[in-house]
Amino acid sequence: MTHPALRPTWQFKALALTLVLALTACGGGGGGGGTSFPLIPGPSTGTTQPNTPPSTDAPPPVAEQPPPTCTAAVPANAPVTAISSVQGTGDTSPLATQPVTVRGVVVGDFQNTGTTTVKLNGFFMQQLVPDADPLTSEGVFVYAPNNATRVAVGDFVQVSGVVTEFGQTAGADAKPDSLTQIAGTTADPLAISVCASGIAISPTQITLPVANESTLERYEGMLVEIAQPLAVTELFELGRYGQMVLALNGRQFNATNGNAAATHAQNLLSRIVLDDGSSRQNPNPIPYLSAAGTDGTRRIGDTTQKVTGILSHNFAAYRIQPTVAPVFAQANPRSPTAPVVSGPLKVASFNVLNYFTTFVNGETSSGQTGQGCSFGTGPASAANCRGANNLNEFQRQRAKIVAAIAGLDADVVGLMEIQNSDVATNDLLAALNAKVGPNTYAAVNSGVFGTDAIKVDILYKPAKVQRVGNAVLPTGTDLADYTAASGRPPLAQRFSAVGNNGGFWFVVNHLKSKGSCPTTGDIDQGQGCFNLARTQQANALNSFVAKLKAMDEDETDVLMMGDFNSYLLEDPTKVLEAAGNESLLKRMPADNRYTYVFGGETGALDHAYASSSLGSQVSGVSVWHINADEPTALDYNTDFTTDDRYAPTPFRASDHDPVLVALTLAADAAVTQPIVSASVPTAAKVGETYSVNIFEATPGGATTLTSLAVDWGDGSAATTAPGTGTVTHTYAAAGTYNVVTTLTNSAGQTATQSGSVNVSAVVVVVPPGPPDLFFSEYVEGTASNKAIEIYNPTASAVDLSLYTVRLYSNGTATPPTNSQVLSGSLPPGGVLVLANASAAAAFKPAGTFTSGVVNFNGDDALTLEKSGVVIDRFGQVGFDPGAEWTVGGVGTLNRTLRRKPDIKAGDRNPGLAFDPSVQWIGLPEDTSDGLGAHTVN
């Protein structure tokens, strides 16, 4: 889950913006992958928002008439110039930076009204008589803030000011996309005179598609109209900036999804951004929704027959600021219930959009603080967590996810993007059963696996299907090839239908995303980034599935579902189909074959594949379009939300639509396999009791339990367990060990549950030593304003050559990121300041020593060592807290911290949890007046 960054305020800052639509592990992109004309993002920022888009009636056409006379004075250095000459024939004005006087008719009034109605802080004017050059625009924007003369549509005005360009996208490959405007400067203040009123200009008709990127430049600043039917094709920025993307000929599909012949480049030439005539971020109310309450939405595919307004060009897009409120038809209404698929069993897959019970602020759903998330069994850090920022957001997220899964009413559900622990799965399971009924669903207890912070998992209805043996993960080359790119192995579980024992393997997948593109190697070549990696994963999946088919009684019916991050005509899907698997979405009507929208292009990233023997037993397939078509603003997030339209409904529960498959399975002979489930904690301490809880040990059928044991992976003897319950062990040495619980039944069949544990040495709390140097001041300020102060509390001068300051960045444990050996002598009661070389003078009192070790952020740790022994620390070495350590209102990011005066010795325990509020006083950012001296009580 990503959130768009704040953009510079309209007209108040120079714009430096490159379009970035961040992709989470769910994927997106592809099909050309560019962010060129006329893609989002949209207009600039501000403070308030009109209640509705501009609704000024379009003026009727009138006969050509001579321009009125303006009697206002014309500055000597700003000659009267035609607007078309100001615009010129290029992307930017040939008169940029020059004072001019222009005359024309106001065709769009977007002046702010006090502080209550913030629009665009100006107006658009258009010369009354066009020139003879079709390549020049007759319109221009006038930046008229604060107490500028008020104007109205139809006024004939004279404006004097300086020609400038606003809104240019920055970057080496940025294309000219700024808006030409007239603005005032100190030397040449803006002068506006209203010469006449009631003059009408008819909108210029423009049509899509345009011939090339620059075609619309000739209409910049003019009143225009698109009278072609247009469809909503992108809603990503609707709640953030009040804009959407409209396209000709219906919603646009990704070129590699197989729905249309249009290429990515052709799609870009057939769209326009519809803005809201405002510069406000997070508009309240959100414009263009279908209703005022939480039922209001605007879905991709909805249509409008005409758009009238001013054509603007900035922020990487041509956009229309409407002068007539557009009218939308709900051509793609919501479906309140899941589509009906005919068959005794229903199987679904659903990307749950980073469902984490540990939040990015270090809290958990159970109320713990200071917690983190792991990449598999690696070190835990809040920086590894995804999804909800806090408990409030999580509760909103959970309610939506539960509503969606309950609405699917599937008998087996494959999950993607759930936190890599059974804690998150069990939390979702409990909430789901609380809604649909106790014990309706169960989990396969997959544990922690892979090397990502997220995993796939499986829920099922015990009343409809039974597990046949334990869940299975790939091994060997299959595992290595699949996880090399993403660290997320597939998960397989064999099921049999209650009633006729019809069996099948269910395999849940989540392939490498298309985002976070590299600059070389597996770059985007028309199928999104990392296509080669996904193709390798598809081959590994085929190999894994072939081995599943050969296991036990040779069950060959296999259903693969999940987020494959590949559209229907891309290489990974072709690899799967070449192995004899049917792409079930291809049974659906072409216009319904989608689960995701990225960059205004629709396609299917989520799929279902049936093995050749299962295909005839598939009796239905569909997609419930509850997410991809909905505005991002309707999800669970609370950031950037002033008009909160949240509702605990399935709509925008995630960014992917769930896929639903119906099975009518042929009867099979009954098959029994043992099942064992055990919790394997991922962390332990040397010498402390480590416990594995075996909570499921089923021999299967008429067999009996022969043995049940836990192998601890450290070479010690396995521990025999009499049945379910807790089994304990004590590790003698630090390391990572594979813990395997094995059940054997009387038929000689076995079931195993495994997991890794990272065993670390116990941190010994060291008592304070004799009086010695310690850190007395910490400054983590603006830019490079960083410093650390060391105090000598002893009664004697100290030889600094015995001391070293070490920096440990981003949770590093060893080796340190940087080290600084000190030198010289420090008198009793004296201080030594180490500062960043680029820090301002205020952070470098006399005698300051500049050092590369002073290059820390709020999540980095520092130690002060004497002859190799830590005598003081700041932060916790080997732990990344996320952005900062913060407890009791005292944080380490963008703050100055001063050691409390009653602290007289350093903290010698760098591995212990760090609470800055215990020994430090928090001061505002960039406080520097304490550097250079310190006192103790």
Short mmCIF file of all heavy atoms in Angstrom, two decimals, residues 766-774 791-795 798 803 864 866 869-872 903-908:
data_model
loop_
_atom_site.label_atom_id
_atom_site.label_comp_id
_atom_site.label_asym_id
_atom_site.label_seq_id
_atom_site.Cartn_x
_atom_site.Cartn_y
_atom_site.Cartn_z
N VAL A 766 24.81 -4.80 32.05
CA VAL A 766 26.06 -4.43 32.69
C VAL A 766 25.81 -3.28 33.66
O VAL A 766 25.26 -2.25 33.26
CB VAL A 766 27.10 -4.02 31.64
CG1 VAL A 766 28.42 -3.65 32.30
CG2 VAL A 766 27.30 -5.13 30.62
N PRO A 767 26.19 -3.41 34.92
CA PRO A 767 26.00 -2.32 35.87
C PRO A 767 26.90 -1.15 35.53
O PRO A 767 27.92 -1.31 34.86
CB PRO A 767 26.37 -2.95 37.21
CG PRO A 767 27.31 -4.06 36.86
CD PRO A 767 26.83 -4.59 35.55
N PRO A 768 26.54 0.06 35.96
CA PRO A 768 27.41 1.22 35.69
C PRO A 768 28.81 1.00 36.24
O PRO A 768 29.00 0.46 37.33
CB PRO A 768 26.69 2.36 36.41
CG PRO A 768 25.28 1.90 36.56
CD PRO A 768 25.34 0.42 36.72
N GLY A 769 29.79 1.42 35.45
CA GLY A 769 31.17 1.31 35.89
C GLY A 769 31.59 2.58 36.61
O GLY A 769 30.75 3.41 36.98
N PRO A 770 32.87 2.74 36.81
CA PRO A 770 33.36 3.96 37.46
C PRO A 770 33.08 5.17 36.59
O PRO A 770 32.82 5.04 35.39
CB PRO A 770 34.86 3.69 37.60
CG PRO A 770 35.17 2.69 36.54
CD PRO A 770 33.96 1.83 36.45
N PRO A 771 33.08 6.36 37.14
CA PRO A 771 32.80 7.57 36.34
C PRO A 771 33.67 7.62 35.10
O PRO A 771 34.88 7.39 35.16
CB PRO A 771 33.13 8.71 37.31
CG PRO A 771 32.94 8.11 38.67
CD PRO A 771 33.37 6.67 38.54
N ASP A 772 33.02 7.87 33.95
CA ASP A 772 33.74 7.93 32.69
C ASP A 772 32.94 8.78 31.72
O ASP A 772 31.83 9.25 32.03
CB ASP A 772 33.96 6.52 32.13
CG ASP A 772 35.26 6.41 31.34
OD1 ASP A 772 35.60 7.39 30.65
OD2 ASP A 772 35.92 5.35 31.41
N LEU A 773 33.46 8.98 30.55
CA LEU A 773 32.79 9.81 29.55
C LEU A 773 31.42 9.24 29.20
O LEU A 773 31.19 8.04 29.25
CB LEU A 773 33.64 9.88 28.27
CG LEU A 773 35.09 10.37 28.38
CD1 LEU A 773 35.68 10.51 26.99
CD2 LEU A 773 35.19 11.66 29.16
N PHE A 774 30.50 10.15 28.81
CA PHE A 774 29.20 9.69 28.30
C PHE A 774 28.65 10.75 27.35
O PHE A 774 29.07 11.90 27.35
CB PHE A 774 28.21 9.35 29.41
CG PHE A 774 27.83 10.50 30.31
CD1 PHE A 774 26.84 11.43 29.95
CD2 PHE A 774 28.43 10.65 31.56
CE1 PHE A 774 26.48 12.47 30.79
CE2 PHE A 774 28.07 11.68 32.40
CZ PHE A 774 27.08 12.60 32.02
N TYR A 791 30.66 14.25 27.30
CA TYR A 791 30.95 14.98 28.54
C TYR A 791 31.90 14.18 29.43
O TYR A 791 31.80 12.94 29.52
CB TYR A 791 29.65 15.24 29.29
CG TYR A 791 29.80 15.86 30.66
CD1 TYR A 791 30.28 17.17 30.81
CD2 TYR A 791 29.44 15.14 31.80
CE1 TYR A 791 30.41 17.74 32.07
CE2 TYR A 791 29.56 15.71 33.06
CZ TYR A 791 30.05 17.01 33.19
OH TYR A 791 30.17 17.57 34.44
N ASN A 792 32.82 14.88 30.08
CA ASN A 792 33.75 14.27 31.03
C ASN A 792 33.28 14.59 32.44
O ASN A 792 33.48 15.71 32.94
CB ASN A 792 35.16 14.81 30.81
CG ASN A 792 36.16 14.22 31.80
OD1 ASN A 792 35.85 13.31 32.56
ND2 ASN A 792 37.38 14.75 31.79
N PRO A 793 32.65 13.61 33.16
CA PRO A 793 32.15 13.88 34.51
C PRO A 793 33.21 13.70 35.59
O PRO A 793 32.92 13.91 36.77
CB PRO A 793 31.04 12.84 34.67
CG PRO A 793 31.56 11.67 33.91
CD PRO A 793 32.33 12.23 32.74
N THR A 794 34.43 13.29 35.19
CA THR A 794 35.44 12.96 36.19
C THR A 794 36.16 14.22 36.66
O THR A 794 35.98 15.32 36.13
CB THR A 794 36.47 11.98 35.61
OG1 THR A 794 37.30 12.66 34.66
CG2 THR A 794 35.77 10.81 34.91
N ALA A 795 37.00 14.03 37.68
CA ALA A 795 37.75 15.16 38.25
C ALA A 795 39.11 15.31 37.60
O ALA A 795 39.91 16.16 38.04
CB ALA A 795 37.91 14.95 39.76
N VAL A 798 41.06 13.51 30.64
CA VAL A 798 40.94 12.17 30.07
C VAL A 798 41.68 12.13 28.74
O VAL A 798 41.55 13.03 27.90
CB VAL A 798 39.45 11.80 29.87
CG1 VAL A 798 39.32 10.52 29.08
CG2 VAL A 798 38.76 11.66 31.21
N TYR A 803 39.35 6.19 23.27
CA TYR A 803 37.91 6.17 23.04
C TYR A 803 37.58 6.16 21.54
O TYR A 803 38.29 6.77 20.73
CB TYR A 803 37.24 7.38 23.70
CG TYR A 803 37.39 7.40 25.20
CD1 TYR A 803 38.55 7.93 25.78
CD2 TYR A 803 36.40 6.91 26.03
CE1 TYR A 803 38.70 7.95 27.16
CE2 TYR A 803 36.53 6.94 27.40
CZ TYR A 803 37.69 7.45 27.96
OH TYR A 803 37.83 7.46 29.32
N LEU A 864 29.71 4.62 22.49
CA LEU A 864 30.99 5.20 22.91
C LEU A 864 31.78 4.09 23.59
O LEU A 864 31.31 3.52 24.58
CB LEU A 864 30.76 6.36 23.88
CG LEU A 864 32.00 7.02 24.48
CD1 LEU A 864 32.89 7.63 23.40
CD2 LEU A 864 31.60 8.10 25.50
N LYS A 866 35.48 2.45 25.18
CA LYS A 866 36.80 2.71 25.77
C LYS A 866 37.59 1.41 25.72
O LYS A 866 37.19 0.41 26.30
CB LYS A 866 36.67 3.18 27.22
CG LYS A 866 38.01 3.48 27.89
CD LYS A 866 37.80 3.96 29.31
CE LYS A 866 39.12 4.32 29.97
NZ LYS A 866 38.93 4.76 31.39
N VAL A 869 35.48 -1.56 24.87
CA VAL A 869 34.34 -1.88 25.73
C VAL A 869 33.34 -0.73 25.68
O VAL A 869 33.71 0.44 25.85
CB VAL A 869 34.79 -2.13 27.18
CG1 VAL A 869 33.58 -2.40 28.08
CG2 VAL A 869 35.78 -3.28 27.24
N VAL A 870 32.06 -1.05 25.44
CA VAL A 870 31.02 -0.02 25.37
C VAL A 870 30.81 0.58 26.75
O VAL A 870 30.55 -0.14 27.73
CB VAL A 870 29.70 -0.61 24.83
CG1 VAL A 870 28.59 0.44 24.89
CG2 VAL A 870 29.87 -1.10 23.40
N ILE A 871 30.91 1.91 26.83
CA ILE A 871 30.65 2.59 28.10
C ILE A 871 29.41 3.48 28.01
O ILE A 871 28.94 3.99 29.03
CB ILE A 871 31.88 3.40 28.56
CG1 ILE A 871 32.24 4.48 27.53
CG2 ILE A 871 33.05 2.48 28.85
CD1 ILE A 871 33.32 5.44 28.01
N ASP A 872 28.88 3.71 26.82
CA ASP A 872 27.62 4.44 26.67
C ASP A 872 27.05 4.12 25.30
O ASP A 872 27.77 3.73 24.37
CB ASP A 872 27.82 5.94 26.84
CG ASP A 872 26.50 6.68 27.10
OD1 ASP A 872 25.49 6.01 27.40
OD2 ASP A 872 26.49 7.93 27.02
N ILE A 903 21.75 12.21 35.36
CA ILE A 903 22.49 11.08 34.78
C ILE A 903 23.99 11.39 34.90
O ILE A 903 24.48 12.38 34.36
CB ILE A 903 22.09 10.86 33.31
CG1 ILE A 903 20.59 10.60 33.20
CG2 ILE A 903 22.89 9.70 32.72
CD1 ILE A 903 20.11 9.40 33.97
N LYS A 904 24.71 10.51 35.59
CA LYS A 904 26.12 10.76 35.87
C LYS A 904 27.04 9.70 35.29
O LYS A 904 28.26 9.79 35.46
CB LYS A 904 26.32 10.85 37.38
CG LYS A 904 25.49 11.96 38.03
CD LYS A 904 25.67 12.00 39.53
CE LYS A 904 24.82 13.11 40.15
NZ LYS A 904 24.96 13.17 41.63
N ALA A 905 26.47 8.69 34.59
CA ALA A 905 27.28 7.64 33.99
C ALA A 905 26.58 7.14 32.74
O ALA A 905 25.35 7.27 32.59
CB ALA A 905 27.50 6.49 34.97
N GLY A 906 27.35 6.54 31.83
CA GLY A 906 26.79 6.06 30.59
C GLY A 906 26.00 4.78 30.73
O GLY A 906 26.07 4.07 31.75
N ASP A 907 25.21 4.46 29.70
CA ASP A 907 24.42 3.23 29.61
C ASP A 907 25.25 2.22 28.83
O ASP A 907 25.49 2.38 27.64
CB ASP A 907 23.10 3.53 28.90
CG ASP A 907 22.21 2.31 28.75
OD1 ASP A 907 22.67 1.19 29.02
OD2 ASP A 907 21.04 2.48 28.33
N ARG A 908 25.68 1.16 29.48
CA ARG A 908 26.62 0.20 28.89
C ARG A 908 25.94 -0.99 28.23
O ARG A 908 26.57 -2.03 28.03
CB ARG A 908 27.58 -0.30 29.99
CG ARG A 908 28.42 0.79 30.61
CD ARG A 908 29.14 0.34 31.89
NE ARG A 908 30.05 1.38 32.36
CZ ARG A 908 31.38 1.33 32.30
NH1 ARG A 908 31.97 0.25 31.77
NH2 ARG A 908 32.11 2.31 32.76
#
